[in-house]
Amino acid sequence: MTDRSGLFIDGQWRTPAEHSAVFDKYLRTPACEVGIASEMDVADAVAAAERGATAPLPPAERHDVLTRAADLLLARQDAVLAAYVTETGFTQADARGELERTASVLRLCAGEALRLAGEEIPVAATPGSENRLAFTMRIPVGVVAAVAPFNAPLSTVAHKIGPAIAAGNGVVLKPAEQTPLSSIALVEAFTDAGLPAGFL
């Protein structure tokens, strides 16, 4: 399972005041406990994400972190799949498909990190605007709140945090209380992939 039961805030695991049990969906017994965030923990997480988002990572670094995170999830597939089956009740085959989808999503986001750019608006085609230039720029919005559902919690979480990180934002993730272990696996993969403190 996982030895993490705390809250990941500003690059550190924090010991919470309260915990909640995660149940094995086959055995209907508690599999482990995970932390419950207090109002102060949430405020600290948002503040850390805001600090991270003030200095977005360069696109190449975002690409590399997302690619390494995908690789790490696949390298850790035995542990990730065991936790996933326990928390969701998926079969091994379905869980494996979910893990492969998640890695694909992260790789797709990695590619987009390199392509996110503005575009030129063809205003010169309008009479009287021949010598004008108009363009858009894509910049990070800042902090993205990612609230995850309990179903397919690996790929749905990747669909939320992958694009946000690819675009240079900080993310505050709130996993479903029934299935938080997938989110912990993703956080660990991103951290080990080199995502700096505050961005997740």
Side-chain angles (χ1 to χ4, degrees):
M1 207 55 49
T2 180
D3 59 352
R4 301 293 193 190
S5 62
L7 307 168
F8 191 72
I9 299 173
D10 203 12
Q12 301 291 320
W13 288 98
R14 179 182 290 187
T15 302
E18 292 185 62
H19 287 82
S20 174
V22 177
F23 286 86
D24 183 307
K25 300 307 185 281
Y26 284 112
L27 303 176
R28 297 182 166 274
T29 57
C32 65
E33 288 191 336
V34 293
I36 298 174
S38 69
E39 192 173 320
M40 181 57 79
D41 292 324
V42 174
D44 290 347
V46 171
E50 286 174 338
R51 283 192 302 276
T54 59
L57 299 175
E61 191 172 344
R62 290 181 244 153
H63 168 273
D64 293 348
V65 165
L66 285 155
T67 301
R68 284 192 299 264
D71 293 343
L72 285 168
L73 278 175
L74 293 175
R76 299 169 179 173
Q77 70 176 333
D78 290 345
V80 173
L81 292 175
Y84 194 79
V85 168
T86 296
E87 74 178 349
T88 64
F90 275 42
T91 64
Q92 277 285 337
D94 287 340
R96 183 168 281 100
E98 179 75 359
L99 176 60
E100 290 167 0
R101 256 189 310 281
T102 300
S104 294
V105 166
L106 295 179
R107 287 194 178 107
L108 175 68
C109 292
E112 288 304 312
L114 299 177
R115 288 187 285 276
L116 281 173
E119 61 181 305
E120 184 179 341
I121 311 299
V123 295
T126 304
S129 296
E130 293 83 0
N131 295 317
R132 294 194 176 146
L133 175 67
F135 58 91
T136 61
M137 292 177 50
R138 293 194 179 270
I139 58 172
V141 296
V143 178
V144 173
V147 180
F150 71 92
N151 57 327
L154 198 54
S155 68
T156 54
V157 171
H159 274 96
K160 290 174 181 293
I161 63 177
I165 289 171
N169 298 292
V171 181
V172 176
L173 171 64
K174 191 275 178 203
E177 51 272 7
Q178 302 94 328
T179 55
L181 303 180
S182 298
S183 293
I184 292 171
L186 276 167
V187 166
E188 289 174 337
F190 272 102
T191 301
D192 293 344
L195 187 67
F199 281 96
L200 178 59

PDB file of all heavy atoms in Angstrom, residues 21-32 86:
ATOM      1  N   ALA A  21     -10.268   6.489   7.073  1.00  0.00           N
ATOM      2  CA  ALA A  21      -9.927   5.152   6.576  1.00  0.00           C
ATOM      3  C   ALA A  21     -10.242   5.032   5.092  1.00  0.00           C
ATOM      4  O   ALA A  21     -11.244   5.559   4.611  1.00  0.00           O
ATOM      5  CB  ALA A  21     -10.689   4.093   7.354  1.00  0.00           C
ATOM      6  N   VAL A  22      -9.365   4.342   4.390  1.00  0.00           N
ATOM      7  CA  VAL A  22      -9.616   3.946   3.006  1.00  0.00           C
ATOM      8  C   VAL A  22      -9.916   2.458   3.058  1.00  0.00           C
ATOM      9  O   VAL A  22      -9.129   1.677   3.584  1.00  0.00           O
ATOM     10  CB  VAL A  22      -8.388   4.203   2.103  1.00  0.00           C
ATOM     11  CG1 VAL A  22      -8.666   3.717   0.691  1.00  0.00           C
ATOM     12  CG2 VAL A  22      -8.026   5.673   2.113  1.00  0.00           C
ATOM     13  N   PHE A  23     -11.068   2.069   2.515  1.00  0.00           N
ATOM     14  CA  PHE A  23     -11.518   0.692   2.627  1.00  0.00           C
ATOM     15  C   PHE A  23     -11.136  -0.135   1.410  1.00  0.00           C
ATOM     16  O   PHE A  23     -11.214   0.329   0.276  1.00  0.00           O
ATOM     17  CB  PHE A  23     -13.036   0.638   2.822  1.00  0.00           C
ATOM     18  CG  PHE A  23     -13.461   1.042   4.201  1.00  0.00           C
ATOM     19  CD1 PHE A  23     -13.665   2.378   4.510  1.00  0.00           C
ATOM     20  CD2 PHE A  23     -13.629   0.099   5.193  1.00  0.00           C
ATOM     21  CE1 PHE A  23     -14.040   2.765   5.781  1.00  0.00           C
ATOM     22  CE2 PHE A  23     -14.002   0.469   6.479  1.00  0.00           C
ATOM     23  CZ  PHE A  23     -14.202   1.816   6.772  1.00  0.00           C
ATOM     24  N   ASP A  24     -10.723  -1.372   1.672  1.00  0.00           N
ATOM     25  CA  ASP A  24     -10.524  -2.355   0.623  1.00  0.00           C
ATOM     26  C   ASP A  24     -11.904  -2.686   0.065  1.00  0.00           C
ATOM     27  O   ASP A  24     -12.785  -3.125   0.803  1.00  0.00           O
ATOM     28  CB  ASP A  24      -9.857  -3.605   1.200  1.00  0.00           C
ATOM     29  CG  ASP A  24      -9.550  -4.639   0.151  1.00  0.00           C
ATOM     30  OD1 ASP A  24     -10.477  -5.022  -0.600  1.00  0.00           O
ATOM     31  OD2 ASP A  24      -8.396  -5.092   0.089  1.00  0.00           O
ATOM     32  N   LYS A  25     -12.094  -2.450  -1.228  1.00  0.00           N
ATOM     33  CA  LYS A  25     -13.426  -2.605  -1.805  1.00  0.00           C
ATOM     34  C   LYS A  25     -13.856  -4.060  -1.939  1.00  0.00           C
ATOM     35  O   LYS A  25     -15.030  -4.346  -2.095  1.00  0.00           O
ATOM     36  CB  LYS A  25     -13.498  -1.912  -3.182  1.00  0.00           C
ATOM     37  CG  LYS A  25     -13.216  -0.414  -3.133  1.00  0.00           C
ATOM     38  CD  LYS A  25     -14.073   0.314  -2.120  1.00  0.00           C
ATOM     39  CE  LYS A  25     -13.891   1.813  -2.135  1.00  0.00           C
ATOM     40  NZ  LYS A  25     -12.718   2.328  -1.462  1.00  0.00           N
ATOM     41  N   TYR A  26     -12.889  -5.012  -1.884  1.00  0.00           N
ATOM     42  CA  TYR A  26     -13.250  -6.424  -1.909  1.00  0.00           C
ATOM     43  C   TYR A  26     -13.558  -6.935  -0.511  1.00  0.00           C
ATOM     44  O   TYR A  26     -14.575  -7.559  -0.268  1.00  0.00           O
ATOM     45  CB  TYR A  26     -12.109  -7.266  -2.507  1.00  0.00           C
ATOM     46  CG  TYR A  26     -11.999  -7.158  -3.993  1.00  0.00           C
ATOM     47  CD1 TYR A  26     -10.910  -6.528  -4.577  1.00  0.00           C
ATOM     48  CD2 TYR A  26     -12.971  -7.689  -4.831  1.00  0.00           C
ATOM     49  CE1 TYR A  26     -10.792  -6.426  -5.951  1.00  0.00           C
ATOM     50  CE2 TYR A  26     -12.866  -7.586  -6.205  1.00  0.00           C
ATOM     51  CZ  TYR A  26     -11.772  -6.955  -6.760  1.00  0.00           C
ATOM     52  OH  TYR A  26     -11.668  -6.851  -8.111  1.00  0.00           O
ATOM     53  N   LEU A  27     -12.660  -6.653   0.417  1.00  0.00           N
ATOM     54  CA  LEU A  27     -12.786  -7.184   1.766  1.00  0.00           C
ATOM     55  C   LEU A  27     -13.692  -6.355   2.663  1.00  0.00           C
ATOM     56  O   LEU A  27     -14.122  -6.818   3.713  1.00  0.00           O
ATOM     57  CB  LEU A  27     -11.403  -7.305   2.408  1.00  0.00           C
ATOM     58  CG  LEU A  27     -10.394  -8.170   1.651  1.00  0.00           C
ATOM     59  CD1 LEU A  27      -9.041  -8.130   2.347  1.00  0.00           C
ATOM     60  CD2 LEU A  27     -10.904  -9.601   1.515  1.00  0.00           C
ATOM     61  N   ARG A  28     -13.929  -5.103   2.266  1.00  0.00           N
ATOM     62  CA  ARG A  28     -14.737  -4.167   3.057  1.00  0.00           C
ATOM     63  C   ARG A  28     -14.144  -3.928   4.442  1.00  0.00           C
ATOM     64  O   ARG A  28     -14.841  -3.759   5.433  1.00  0.00           O
ATOM     65  CB  ARG A  28     -16.191  -4.635   3.164  1.00  0.00           C
ATOM     66  CG  ARG A  28     -16.902  -4.707   1.832  1.00  0.00           C
ATOM     67  CD  ARG A  28     -18.354  -5.124   2.036  1.00  0.00           C
ATOM     68  NE  ARG A  28     -19.134  -4.893   0.861  1.00  0.00           N
ATOM     69  CZ  ARG A  28     -19.728  -3.747   0.546  1.00  0.00           C
ATOM     70  NH1 ARG A  28     -19.590  -2.712   1.304  1.00  0.00           N
ATOM     71  NH2 ARG A  28     -20.460  -3.648  -0.538  1.00  0.00           N
ATOM     72  N   THR A  29     -12.825  -3.935   4.494  1.00  0.00           N
ATOM     73  CA  THR A  29     -12.110  -3.658   5.733  1.00  0.00           C
ATOM     74  C   THR A  29     -11.179  -2.472   5.481  1.00  0.00           C
ATOM     75  O   THR A  29     -10.778  -2.219   4.343  1.00  0.00           O
ATOM     76  CB  THR A  29     -11.260  -4.866   6.172  1.00  0.00           C
ATOM     77  OG1 THR A  29     -10.360  -5.215   5.114  1.00  0.00           O
ATOM     78  CG2 THR A  29     -12.148  -6.061   6.509  1.00  0.00           C
ATOM     79  N   PRO A  30     -10.809  -1.737   6.529  1.00  0.00           N
ATOM     80  CA  PRO A  30      -9.893  -0.616   6.330  1.00  0.00           C
ATOM     81  C   PRO A  30      -8.538  -1.093   5.800  1.00  0.00           C
ATOM     82  O   PRO A  30      -7.943  -2.019   6.345  1.00  0.00           O
ATOM     83  CB  PRO A  30      -9.754  -0.018   7.731  1.00  0.00           C
ATOM     84  CG  PRO A  30     -10.950  -0.481   8.473  1.00  0.00           C
ATOM     85  CD  PRO A  30     -11.284  -1.830   7.910  1.00  0.00           C
ATOM     86  N   ALA A  31      -8.082  -0.485   4.717  1.00  0.00           N
ATOM     87  CA  ALA A  31      -6.786  -0.847   4.127  1.00  0.00           C
ATOM     88  C   ALA A  31      -5.671   0.041   4.667  1.00  0.00           C
ATOM     89  O   ALA A  31      -4.544  -0.408   4.834  1.00  0.00           O
ATOM     90  CB  ALA A  31      -6.864  -0.733   2.615  1.00  0.00           C
ATOM     91  N   CYS A  32      -5.991   1.299   4.916  1.00  0.00           N
ATOM     92  CA  CYS A  32      -5.028   2.249   5.468  1.00  0.00           C
ATOM     93  C   CYS A  32      -5.791   3.510   5.860  1.00  0.00           C
ATOM     94  O   CYS A  32      -7.004   3.594   5.670  1.00  0.00           O
ATOM     95  CB  CYS A  32      -3.926   2.574   4.469  1.00  0.00           C
ATOM     96  SG  CYS A  32      -4.491   3.446   2.996  1.00  0.00           S
ATOM     97  N   THR A  86      -7.196  -2.125  -4.644  1.00  0.00           N
ATOM     98  CA  THR A  86      -7.717  -2.066  -3.274  1.00  0.00           C
ATOM     99  C   THR A  86      -8.733  -0.953  -3.110  1.00  0.00           C
ATOM    100  O   THR A  86      -9.819  -1.168  -2.581  1.00  0.00           O
ATOM    101  CB  THR A  86      -6.557  -1.861  -2.268  1.00  0.00           C
ATOM    102  OG1 THR A  86      -5.705  -3.000  -2.323  1.00  0.00           O
ATOM    103  CG2 THR A  86      -7.080  -1.678  -0.858  1.00  0.00           C
TER     104      THR A  86
END
